[in-house]
Amino acid sequence: MMFRVDRDVLAEAVAWTARSLPARPSVPVLAGMRLEVTEDGQLKLSGFDYEVSAEVTLELQTGEAGVVLVSGRLLAEITRALPAQPVEFVVEGAKAVVTCGSARFTLLTMPVEDYPSLPAMPPAAGRIGSDVFASAVGQVAVAAGKDDTLPMLTGVRVEIEGDTVTLAATDRYRLAVRELKWQPDQPDFSAIAMIPGKTLADTAKALGNTGAEIEIAMSSVGGTGEGMIGFSSAGRRTTTRLLDPEFPKYRSLLPTEFSARADLPTSVFVEAVKRVALVAERNTPVRLAFRGDEVVLEAGSGDEAQAVEVLAVDFEGDDINIAFNHQFLLEGLGAIDSDVARLQMTTSTKPAILTGGKPVDDGGVPDYRYLIMPIRLSS
C-alpha cells in the first residue's frame, strides 16, 4: 500500500477522523486509525469505538491499493507537525513509513483484521445547511447534562415533523429549545432521537466548517435502522449510537404568560454579570432587582466581598427580585445569538425565559428559548 497526498489535506482528514478515537480504549486496537487505498484511487481514513464512527474520503493522484491500521493519535500528531510539502505514506511489512521533505517517521502497524467494521449509514432522511445546523446544536447542547449517571439528561432530543426540526436539552436547572427548518426527502417524515450531547456538538462543529450541506441519515418512527443516526458532508461521514429516547415532557415546562419583561443589550449585560460574579462563590447566585428603567445586579453578602452594578433596561411589568446561577445565565446569554437579550419572568421562584430580542411577529414564539430556573432568595 502506498499513497502521496498534500500535507494540509492529509493533516485535516486525520485530525477529523481522530476526533472519534477513544482516549482510553477498552482494547488497544480501537486506538487505531484505518487507512485504505481503494482500487478506484480513493483514500479512506476511518475510526470506530463501537459508539461513534468517523470516515473521511479523499481523492488521490497517486496510490496503490491496500489497507493498514496505525495509532490514530500518533498519526494525527505527526501529520500536524509535518512541513508544508507533499506526504508519502508507504507500508513496508509490519511498518508504515511517512515521509515529508527531509522528515521521515516509521510507525508500527496494528492487526487490521481485529478492527471492527464500520456500521452502515441509516437511510438518508434529508439535508440542512451546515452553518445553521452547527449554530442550532451549539445553542442547545450548552444545556445538556454532564452527569453520566442520568444518561437521559446528557443527550439532545431531536424531534422531526415534516420540514421542522426541534432540538431540546436540559440538565434540570435549565432547558434550551431551538426550532429550525430543513429539507426532508419525504414531506411527511417523522422521527424522534436522543443523541449524546457532546458527540452531537463535536460533530456539528466539525461538519459546520465544511460550508456544504449536511445530509442527515436516520429512520422514521418505527423504521429499520433505529438506534443510530448518521451525518455526512463534503466527503466526511459519521455515525453515533442513540440514547434511550426517554426525555422529560419539556413543552409543558415552557411558560407562555409572564408578569415582567426586560430587554438589555446582550454584550453590556454579559460584561456586567461577569464583573459582579467575580465575588460570587461557585454556587452563590447573582441577584437581579428590576425597578422601572434600571436593573441592579448584586453578588456577595454579609461578611463576604460584595459587588453592585446598575444598568439601564427597557422594562415592562411588575418590579421583581430574582437570582440566577451566574454561569448558567452567562451560557444562556452566549447562546441567544442576538444583540438584545430579552428576559421574561413571572415570579422570583418560577422559571424565566431568555430569548434573543423581540419575536419575529407580535405574539410569535422565538425560534430559540432558554429556560433558566431561579435560585430562591433567602428572605
Side-chain angles (χ1 to χ4, degrees), residues 14 93-94 102 106 115 132 138 149 155 167 214 249 270 285-286 298 301 324:
V14 170
S102 58
T106 302
Y115 200 70
V132 174
T149 63
L167 306 176
I214 295 175
K249 292 179 170 56
V270 166
V286 167
E298 293 184 84
S301 61
F324 299 109

Side-chain angles (χ1 to χ4, degrees), residues 127-147:
R127 294 165 306 285
I128 192 169
S130 59
D131 52 346
V132 174
F133 183 66
S135 173
V137 170
Q139 288 180 303
V140 172
V142 69
K146 309 295 190 291
D147 185 356

